[in-house]
Amino acid sequence: MKHLIDPMDLTKEELDQIIALAEDIIANREKYQEIQAHRKLATLFYEPSTRTRLSFTAAMMELGGNVLGFSDAKSSSVSKGESVQDTVRVVGCFADVIAMRHYIEGAQLYASEVSKVPIINAGDGSHSHPTQTLTDLLTIQRELGRIDGITIGFCGDLRFGRTVHSLIKALSRYKDIRVVLIAPDELKLPDYIKQDVCDRLGIRYREVSSMEEVISELDVLYMTRVQKERFLDQDEFDRVKDSFVLDAAKMSLAKEKMAVLHPLPRVNEILTEVDADPRAAYFRQVENGKFVRMALMTKLIEWKDDPAHAMPAHEIPVTDPSLRCPNPRCICNNEHAPYRFRRSGSGTLRCWYCDAKAK
Ligand code: CP
């Protein structure tokens, strides 16, 4: 069975198939309006969402299927202490596919270990957001006509921005990608993405501290919100919250064909004066999210019993009773997930569930 927990769970061929199907759905919507009739999606959202939850819901409805679930875990038996593994065991009796968002990192991976239906990670803390990645890839493809060979600037909160982490991973599947990281010191990209993804998989990147310095080189500018909810220190958030603001003056320095993406919601990192610029793709990106989720669910349901689409073979986890995951927001420090680690390309032991460096 294929779950989508991390973007690297999909091979390049599977990614291509999902994006091609999304394009066909956009071109031929009536052809797909009954293909999931009598099937059910469960949306289990332990953290707020507008786009992801509603686009999953709209996606399943447009495929002729039905949706059940919760948007506030307090209204479920989670409030009585039910674990994520028990929750998906139960919900798997009612639904054909589950989309789960959780503020705890690694929750979906842990849930997938016992699930009898495909689990889709709809965002886990500041770790990963692979369905946003599919949305972003489809948007880049539709805006620029290609993904190979692009120069993409990621700007803002690269530390807590799960969409950035996932998209960089997925871009390692494409050719000749250049990444420019535009962030203040406090919000730089985590080392595990730089070392285990960019260095190991050959993505060229450089770090800069000014948007004006690089905007003219970019094919894609990927703006992000500074993620207030992930900061443990309010003063630190106040220092960095307005680090980068995209306005019409900066857009005048960019290529005529550059696409501006943002996973949204935005706060004030893109002024509304940019919205009318034809290069502002972020609302088209939202709609692409529905189509690509239609394609993803269709493929995961189709692939469920096909051994050719199993999860990738993971390495054997390292277990050592003296090692702990230091991340208080990791599933292994919140439920009974075991302390397990994987040895990264650089030799560092990292948490199986959240990628934090073992202590
Ligand atoms: N992009 C995104 O994940 O938005 P929501 O938090 O509204 O789902």
Side-chain angles (χ1 to χ4, degrees):
M1 182 163 52
K2 176 73 83 177
H3 306 284
L4 178 59
I5 307 299
D6 181 277
M8 301 306 270
D9 293 336
L10 298 173
T11 63
K12 177 64 166 51
E13 292 70 28
E14 289 166 342
L15 259 181
D16 289 345
Q17 284 182 42
I18 291 167
I19 289 173
L21 179 57
E23 295 270 23
D24 197 54
I25 290 170
I26 293 168
N28 301 290
R29 289 174 67 174
E30 66 298 338
K31 191 168 115 189
Y32 294 94
Q33 59 197 14
E34 292 297 329
I35 64 162
Q36 300 304 340
H38 311 298
R39 295 228 172 74
K40 293 184 279 306
L41 160 71
T43 56
L44 310 183
F45 276 60
Y46 296 73
E47 187 185 65
S49 165
T50 297
R51 274 145 295 274
T52 310
R53 188 175 66 81
L54 296 182
S55 65
F56 265 114
T57 301
M60 187 47 106
M61 289 164 80
E62 286 203 24
L63 294 168
N66 290 300
V67 185
L68 61 158
F70 54 77
S71 57
D72 178 357
K74 288 195 215 77
S75 67
S76 74
S77 284
V78 171
S79 61
K80 301 173 201 161
E82 190 160 42
S83 68
V84 288
Q85 285 201 336
D86 282 0
T87 302
V88 301
R89 279 189 178 104
V90 169
V91 175
C93 301
F94 311 139
D96 300 282
V97 58
I98 296 174
M100 181 192 287
R101 171 169 290 189
H102 211 300
Y103 52 90
I104 296 295
E105 294 168 20
Q108 292 88 339
L109 177 55
Y110 187 49
S112 71
E113 291 169 6
V114 298
S115 182
K116 63 182 183 188
V117 300
I119 299 279
I120 300 172
N121 178 0
D124 64 320
S126 54
H127 187 225
S128 291
H129 194 347
T131 67
Q132 181 65 47
T133 296
L134 297 176
T135 303
D136 301 338
L137 293 173
L138 177 63
T139 303
I140 295 170
Q141 178 64 43
R142 288 179 67 75
E143 295 292 319
L144 301 181
R146 68 192 163 101
I147 301 173
D148 289 328
I150 61 166
T151 299
I152 178 168
F154 289 95
C155 181
D157 186 349
L158 313 188
R159 174 180 167 198
F160 295 120
R162 59 191 174 197
T163 68
V164 174
H165 309 161
S166 288
L167 181 54
I168 292 178
K169 277 188 177 181
L171 286 171
S172 71
R173 300 278 198 221
Y174 293 84
K175 292 189 198 119
D176 195 25
I177 301 293
R178 287 166 198 262
V179 167
V180 184
L181 304 169
I182 311 160
D185 284 347
E186 295 89 337
L187 299 179
K188 281 188 183 303
L189 192 71
D191 283 346
Y192 84 90
I193 302 283
K194 290 189 212 163
Q195 293 165 2
D196 297 356
V197 181
C198 296
D199 293 342
R200 195 163 69 85
L201 302 176
I203 294 184
R204 282 168 290 178
Y205 73 92
R206 71 185 211 270
E207 296 184 284
V208 300
S209 54
S210 149
M211 201 196 300
E212 289 91 329
E213 189 186 318
V214 294
I215 195 167
S216 64
E217 300 170 30
L218 305 178
D219 301 302
V220 176
L221 173 58
Y222 194 100
M223 295 297 296
T224 60
R225 175 179 65 92
V226 179
Q227 310 255 309
K228 182 177 184 183
E229 65 276 25
R230 312 283 179 216
F231 281 77
L232 298 174
D233 176 349
Q234 178 69 35
D235 291 342
E236 189 184 12
F237 170 72
D238 288 338
R239 274 196 304 279
V240 296
K241 66 182 179 189
D242 294 321
S243 297
F244 296 98
V245 176
L246 183 64
D247 57 15
K250 293 194 189 81
M251 287 298 287
S252 72
L253 306 172
K255 286 182 186 174
E256 211 177 302
K257 277 289 285 176
M258 184 185 78
V260 182
L261 272 64
H262 190 312
L264 304 180
R266 76 169 147 190
V267 184
N268 52 2
E269 59 281 355
I270 303 181
L271 296 191
T272 52
E273 68 188 22
V274 178
D275 296 357
D277 190 307
R279 296 168 291 183
Y282 30 92
F283 291 113
R284 295 190 288 278
Q285 186 182 358
V286 173
E287 194 172 17
N288 290 335
K290 179 186 69 178
F291 295 120
V292 92
R293 289 178 175 109
M294 290 168 80
L296 172 67
M297 288 190 285
T298 299
K299 286 294 177 191
L300 291 184
I301 290 168
E302 179 187 321
W303 292 339
K304 182 167 178 265
D305 299 314
D306 182 349
H309 293 283
M311 290 296 274
H314 285 298
E315 64 266 58
I316 309 283
V318 176
T319 50
D320 175 337
S322 69
L323 291 176
R324 290 285 179 272
C325 170
N327 177 4
R329 291 168 170 162
C330 177
I331 190 72
C332 58
N333 288 316
N334 287 274
E335 291 199 3
H336 298 293
Y339 288 111
R340 283 184 192 153
F341 304 90
R342 60 181 177 79
R343 197 170 294 285
S344 71
S346 57
T348 308
L349 281 176
R350 296 199 178 277
C351 175
W352 188 257
Y353 294 100
C354 76
D355 290 302
K357 195 169 170 182
K359 286 267 162 65

